[in-house]
Structure formats: structure tokens, C-alpha cells
DNA sequence: TATTCAAGTTTAAACGATTAAGCAACTTAT
DNA sequence: ATAAGTTGCTTAATCGTTTAAACTTGAATA
């Protein structure tokens, strides 16, 4: 049994497709469709279980009610969760989401962008990866609506919804200091992405403001692709250095996971051998023998707001630029608990 | 700058849209397009950065090169990963995937199905949830191509790709028995889904074949929606019973996570107080203080094969029914390590 | 009685692509 | 010289919808 079209209904009712369209779109009043025929049309539509063809609608209207969500790394549970939020929120508003992960590769991101543009998505929500500035410029030029999520480029004027990473790292640093740690390292991605730089900057300023001198050996930057091995080397180095750290901040979930695996292998005890604060959030952090202190980003709000921004922009393209930085919350757990005073 | 259409190119080249279409689809030979004009068309297409409109193509051809992936529970990392595999594999074949999670609700699954049908997806890959048999029947009736993934209904003839859950549980049971555990419990979802029944059946047969009498109190079935609280009660009960278990199998990732949290709270030591084998796979299992033994399902293969089945069916709707059960592999870790002999 | 108006309906173009069929203008064969 | 074939291109229908514009009635107004 093939799908019924407007034409099928029109034929059965003995009227033109126009009337059917009017009735089924609730425009019978404005377009003065007779009450009797309207009833009949509705009846037949029901009998044939009519479902409008979205393609045809979209082709005609130029709107697909679809948004493209490009995520830098879907294997990160933080992003996976944010994707869910975006999907749910979009669905509530009658939009469908097509998700793609570029796995931190600008090239893959570019491909995704093109595929989705050809599929005529109405707009984009994007968690940008390094080197994708040109893509953002392209969207601006082409006048395709989009909102950057979680990461943005301060030198490009765009809508965005992100976390105040500077503040989050600053808080994390202060927390560790107040807990009695004074030699604090940080591990981040080697990247010139703004959000990553901010995470490092906040940490450094926390040290500075508490009169702790920062040592270059405390900052470890590793490449995303070769994280597995580089994290190990980095940990080795940071522990072997003269200024051996007693606490570390991990700027991403992936770094923390890899580091924790290695720390376990080394039989280092958290927090006595090494205190830890990490970005990201996941069940692992709860179930680790020593629950991990983490930076809780307002995941739900980030996702919802991004959708909201995009949808208002779709409704009114002239809408002014919207930019928001949301505050993260440090969830203190055992992995950073106060150091027993040495003089105790 | 608006998107260029065939018409725009045709106008610039001073030819009909037909010629442009022929050239850009590589049909210039069959349709005898002049070499000179063909070059010109290609040139202009490039200049205008022509990208074909997928909607129009699809409307005309009846194919969208889109597949709908309906997942029972995307928050389960196993499914999240399988979704990635499906997406990647589909993309390799020029297909786009639209993912939806029904969160184990048949009603939500039905909504998703309809949304995606209206969006004219070419076919479905579905991880069915309880009570969705009618949906499967509906797809069969409507002759919409689909493949069931991971879960299937033995009483309905369909294509499917799934794990041999009976065997997996049997192996898990035997492994625990051989490791010296003799009072083995299992926690599963309260469900009449076949895959869940198989997981329990395999476990029971492992006991039977090893001359261990199964006790009703060893089987705990909890509801998906109220898992958080029910798991705790179930653990309490199973530990308080006369036949207190010394090992447990968790039939899903979610159950294991909830149980482990509670077990931690109770300060029970794994495996000495309680040995554990779980379904699902995730970083948690590696990072737990005592790495968790788990049933490793052939995730990659499952996803790829499902896509493969669906695509061959799309290419040739007359293709015969395809059904596959794949074997899981038990990854033995510390959480189920051999019990020290009492007489040692 | 002629004119205007409203109600109820149809027509046809449009969205952007594909493709069978048709039509000139040549060339070649008979 | 005429028929047949080849080459190179255009026309127009089609997919399923939407919607402005036109059209037909019959009733109300002047």
C-alpha cells in the first residue's frame, strides 16, 4: 500500500488538491472552504491515513525544520549528553536534529557541514574544533544561521553559548590551594582554541593571586590524536620534575580517563599521592574508588539555550547577536580533599 | 548570496537545465552533450559553487539516502557507541543517519517512527523496546525496509542482527563457577523482551549444567524507570537472603552502575565480598578499583552488519531475510578472580 | 435590470531536480 | 535525390505541496 498524497484525497473527494491542502492546514476559514466538503476531506484523509510528505513541503517552503548539530567529539560523554539535550529541546519545537561528530578534525567538520547544507538544514549548532574558523566565516558569508556551542572564537563575531572556562579553572585552582595543595599541575590539549587557553589562564591566575609561582613544567599539553601515549609521558615527566606536583587539573574528560588509568597502573593513591580535579562529568567520576572532584558545566542550560538562540534566529533572521557565558560549578569530592596539615 | 540551482547555471550557459543535469551527473556521453558546452557547464557550476538540492533530488527519485536509527536507550554507552558505528558505516556509503532514542518507551518509539517516516527515510535500523511489536508489524505491512539490531522478536519474522545472549550468559555463569563461586545471582530488567529472557536462561542453564540448584531469590528483576531505587532494594534482599550470593551477574550496564554505587556505599569489597560480571562496556569498568569482568559484545560488527543488511535490502527489496546471532566474548578481570580455596 | 459582492471552488505556477520524447540540422548511404 | 542515421539540443512532464489569482454561481444592492 503506497503512501497517500493530497492528490489521492482530492480524487476521492472529487475536488482539487488546493482545497485539500487548505483544509488539512486549517486554512478553511480564510480560504472559505464549504463546511460539508471540509468534513469530507478530513474524513477521507483519516481513512487513507494521510501523512504529508516532508520533502515536498520543504522544497516548497524552503524550510526543513531540521537542524545540523556538529560535535567536536561525540565519544566524550559531556558532548554526548549535550547532544541529547539539544535533540530533545529541538524535538519539543518540532525540529529534527542531524548529528555528526568531526572527531576534532577540521576537515571532517567541513565535510559534515557540506553534507548538511546540501540536505538543506535550516541552521547549525556547532561545537567547533581547532582550525575550523574558515567554516564559521563561510556560514556567516552564506548567511546560514548558526550558534556556536561550548567553544567559540573571540575574534569572530558570532552567536555563542559557552561556559566561563576562565572562572571555572580559577575556581578549581583556588579550591586546590585552599585544600592545602601548593604544587599544582594542569594537563590540557595542545591547542590554540580559546576555551582551552582560558582553562589554562584561569589556573595560572589562581596560582598568581595566591602567590604561588607557576613552573613551566607544571603545564602539560598533549595532542588529541595521540593522547593515549602522550598522557603517560606527561605524567611521568610531571612527577619526575624537581617541582613534583601534589595536585593536578585535567582540562578534559578524555585526559582524565587516560591519566587515571596510568595513575592506577603506577599505584599512586588519590588524593594522598596526587589530588585531582577534572573537567567533564561521567559515571566514572562517581565510581572511582576516590570520587573525582569535577567542574560541572551547566550542560542542560547550554544545550537548551543554544537551541533557543538558533530557533529565534530562524524565526527572525534580523535578531541581534546573542552571546552568553555560563558559570560552571565545582563539585568537590574526595579526590581533592583537604591535605592533612604536615604540622598536625 | 543564494544557493545556485541548475536553472542558474543553465541561464549563464545559455542552455536548458536538462543539459546541465546531464553533464553534472556524468551522463554527457549517453546523452550526447557537446564537449565544448559540457566544459562550459562544468566551469560555471564550479564558479557558482553549485551544490545539488537534496530535497528536490529525493522528491523526484523517491530515495533520500537517509536511514532512521531508533535506539532504545542512548544513555547506555553500548548503544551510544553502536550508534557511532552505524553512523560511520552509513556515511561511508553515502547515507545520512537520523538518530532517535525512545528511552525504552514504546510510545516514544512510535512517535519517532512516524516522524522519520514522514521525513521519508529510506529504511530503519531499530533497537526495539518492550511493547513495540506492533511497530514492527506496521513496518512489515507498509513494506518499509528495516533491520532489528541487538534485540529481536523470535515470533516475528524479520531481518535482525543480534548477540547470542544465551551463550553469553551461559559463559558468564560457567566462568564464575569455575572461579569458585557457587551462589550466583543475576539482576535483570523486568521485561519479556527476548534478549533479556535469554540472558537469564543462559545463566540458569549454566547453573543447572554444573549441578548448582537455582534459588528464586537469586533472580532480581527491576523496572527500567525506577531502577535507581529498586536496585538498592534488590541488592539488600539478595544479600539478606538465606542463600546469600557470593557473585552476581548484571544483565545491563545501567544495572551494574547503580549496583556498584550502592555496593560502594555498603563498603562491600569486590570480589571478596561479592564477585561481579556485567553486560555492557565502558570506561567505568576499567577504572573501578577492581576492574569489572564484562561481556564484550561485538559492537563494531553488530553495527556494521546491520547497516550492510539494510543497504542490500534497499538496493534489492526482494533480497531474502537475513538473520544473524553473533557471539560475545567474556573479558575476565579482577572482579571475578578465582576465589581463594577455603581449604588453602 | 444592471452592478457589486461574497462564497466556494479551480487553475496553474512554483520549489529544484530528472529524464523520456521530440525536434532540427547535418552526414552518410542507397 | 531521397531515405535513414547521427549529433546536439530543447520541451515538458513528474515528484507532492502551497498559494496567489482567476473563475463561477447566486444573492444583495443600487
Amino acid at each position: 500500500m503506497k503512501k497517500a498524497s493530497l492528490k489521492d484525497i482530492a480524487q476521492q473527494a472529487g475536488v482539487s488538491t488546493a482545497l485539500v491542502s487548505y483544509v488539512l492546514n486549517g486554512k478553511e476559514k480564510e480560504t472559505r472552504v464549504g463546511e460539508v466538503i471540509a468534513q469530507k476531506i478530513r474524513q477521507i484523509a483519516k481513512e487513507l491515513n494521510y501523512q504529508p510528505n516532508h520533502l515536498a513541503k520543504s522544497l516548497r517552503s524552503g524550510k526543513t525544520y531540521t537542524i545540523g548539530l556538529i560535535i567536536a567529539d561525540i565519544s566524550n560523554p559531556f558532548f554526548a549528553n549535550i547532544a541529547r539535550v539539544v535533540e530533545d529541546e529541538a524535538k519539543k519545537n518540532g525540529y529534527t536534529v542531524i548529528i555528526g561528530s568531526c572527531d576534532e578534525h577540521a576537515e571532517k567538520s567541513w565535510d559534515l557541514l557540506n553534507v548538511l547544507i546540501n540536505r538543506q538544514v535550516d541552521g547549525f549548532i556547532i561545537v567547533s574544533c581547532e582550525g575550523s574558523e574558515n567554516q564559521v566565516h563561510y556560514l556567516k558569508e552564506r548567511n546560514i544561521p548558526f550558534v556556536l556551542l561550548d567553544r567559540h572564537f573571540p575574534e569572530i563575531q558570532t552567536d555563542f553559548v559557552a561556559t566561563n572556562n576562565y572562572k571555572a579553572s580559577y575556581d578549581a585552582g583556588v579550591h586546590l590551594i585552599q585544600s592545602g595543595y601548593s604544587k599544582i599541575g594542569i594537563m590540557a590539549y595542545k591547542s590554540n582554541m580559546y576555551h582551552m587557553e582560558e582553562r589554562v589562564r584561569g589556573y595560572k591566575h589562581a596560582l598568581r593571586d595566591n602567590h604561588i609561582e607557576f613552573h613551566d613544567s607544571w603545564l602539560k599539553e598533549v595532542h588529541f590524536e595521540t593522547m593515549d601515549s602522550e598522557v603517560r609521558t606527561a605524567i611521568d615527566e610531571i612527577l619526575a620534575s624537581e617541582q613534583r606536583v601534589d595536585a593536578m587539573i585535567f582540562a578534559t574528560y578524555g585526559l582524565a580517563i587516560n591519566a587515571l588509568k596510568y595513575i592506577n597502573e603506577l599505584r599512586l593513591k588519590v588524593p594522598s599521592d596526587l589530588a585531582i580535579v577534572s573537567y567533564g562529568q561521567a559515571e566514572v567520576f562517581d565510581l572511582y574508588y576516590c570520587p573525582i572532584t569535577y567542574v560541572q558545566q551547566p550542560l542542560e542550560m547550554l544545550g537548551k539555550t543554544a537551541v533557543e538562540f538558533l530557533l529565534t534566529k530562524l524565526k527572525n533572521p534580523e535578531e541581534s547577536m546573542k552571546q552568553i557565558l555560563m558559570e560552571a560549578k565545582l563539585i568537590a569530592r574526595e579526590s581533592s580533599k583537604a591535605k592533612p596539615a604536615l604540622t598536625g
Side-chain angles (χ1 to χ4, degrees), chain A:
Chain A
M1 185 181 47
K2 267 193 58 193
K3 270 192 75 170
S5 71
L6 278 194
K7 211 170 161 187
D8 300 324
I9 300 179
Q11 259 158 12
Q12 274 215 29
V15 296
S16 70
T17 62
L19 273 202
V20 181
S21 173
Y22 290 143
V23 172
L24 298 184
N25 286 297
K27 304 204 173 154
E28 35 185 313
K29 287 288 173 291
E30 306 108 278
T31 57
R32 306 170 313 216
V33 180
E35 185 51 37
V36 183
I37 202 73
Q39 282 300 340
K40 189 171 175 188
I41 287 171
R42 268 191 291 267
Q43 173 64 24
I44 295 175
K46 197 176 233 170
E47 277 167 15
L48 297 185
N49 184 31
Y50 170 73
Q51 303 285 132
N53 181 322
H54 246 277
L55 292 177
K57 270 178 126 88
S58 296
L59 180 58
R60 176 66 218 248
S61 68
K63 319 194 104 292
T64 56
Y65 293 96
T66 302
I67 73 189
L69 174 62
I70 300 185
I71 293 273
D73 175 20
I74 195 75
S75 70
N76 179 328
F78 171 69
F79 290 130
N81 278 314
I82 227 171
R84 283 190 73 188
V85 173
V86 167
E87 207 187 326
D88 285 355
E89 192 65 14
K91 204 179 295 162
K92 269 183 210 150
N93 290 276
Y95 279 75
T96 297
V97 177
I98 301 184
I99 304 174
S101 173
C102 72
D103 304 331
E104 303 281 6
H105 287 300
E107 206 184 330
K108 209 167 164 192
S109 162
W110 184 248
D111 285 349
L112 277 171
L113 205 65
N114 275 312
V115 167
L116 295 179
I117 288 176
N118 293 354
R119 299 232 166 204
Q120 314 293 126
V121 299
D122 291 340
F124 286 94
I125 294 179
I126 304 180
V127 179
S128 301
C129 66
E130 189 164 17
S132 64
E133 290 91 337
N134 56 342
Q135 297 166 30
V136 174
H137 282 125
Y138 178 73
L139 290 174
K140 283 186 80 171
E141 258 171 45
R142 292 265 317 252
N143 234 3
I144 298 173
F146 70 97
V147 174
L148 298 190
L149 178 57
D150 188 63
R151 305 175 178 181
H152 71 288
F153 303 100
E155 73 278 13
I156 313 180
Q157 280 298 310
T158 66
D159 292 54
F160 68 79
V161 180
T163 306
N164 187 341
N165 287 294
Y166 172 81
K167 179 73 168 16
S169 276
Y170 189 91
D171 289 351
V174 168
H175 165 73
L176 284 170
I177 293 167
Q178 287 180 346
S179 301
Y181 303 91
S182 56
K183 302 185 172 176
I184 305 171
I186 186 168
M187 191 179 293
Y189 288 148
K190 177 118 202 89
S191 159
N192 52 23
M193 292 287 289
Y194 183 69
H195 75 287
M196 201 47 73
E197 290 175 349
E198 285 290 279
R199 288 181 186 185
V200 173
R201 196 168 67 90
Y203 146 84
K204 283 185 176 168
H205 282 190
L207 294 189
R208 182 198 64 189
D209 291 356
N210 287 276
H211 318 295
I212 296 180
E213 194 194 345
F214 165 73
H215 294 262
D216 282 338
S217 63
W218 287 356
L219 169 61
K220 290 295 175 187
E221 294 180 306
V222 307
H223 294 92
F224 177 78
E225 304 81 24
T226 49
M227 188 173 17
D228 300 24
S229 60
E230 281 190 53
V231 164
R232 294 166 164 259
T233 320
I235 297 260
D236 283 341
E237 286 173 6
I238 212 168
L239 291 179
S241 85
E242 234 168 289
Q243 297 288 333
R244 183 204 188 280
V245 300
D246 55 4
M248 280 199 78
I249 298 175
F250 293 101
T252 78
Y253 167 81
L255 292 171
I257 293 299
N258 278 282
L260 285 174
K261 278 186 192 168
Y262 189 48
I263 286 170
N264 279 350
E265 284 176 32
L266 294 177
R267 309 240 171 257
L268 290 176
K269 278 295 158 208
V270 178
S272 51
D273 294 328
L274 189 67
I276 286 176
V277 174
S278 179
Y279 275 78
Q281 57 214 82
E283 259 125 11
V284 190
F285 291 169
D286 298 340
L287 281 175
Y288 195 64
Y289 67 86
C290 160
I292 305 291
T293 297
Y294 67 95
V295 173
Q296 185 179 56
Q297 291 177 259
L299 189 139
E300 188 97 358
M301 261 315 222
L302 284 168
K304 279 193 180 176
T305 310
V307 172
E308 188 191 314
F309 279 14
L310 183 59
L311 295 195
T312 61
K313 203 167 186 184
L314 290 179
K315 252 146 236 163
N316 175 17
E318 304 309 321
E319 192 81 17
S320 64
M321 192 107 55
K322 288 193 162 61
Q323 309 185 325
I324 264 198
L325 275 192
M326 297 184 175
E327 299 303 325
K329 190 178 164 193
L330 191 78
I331 307 293
R333 322 273 277 287
E334 298 231 341
S335 76
S336 62
K337 82 170 170 208
K339 209 173 184 172
L342 284 178
T343 54

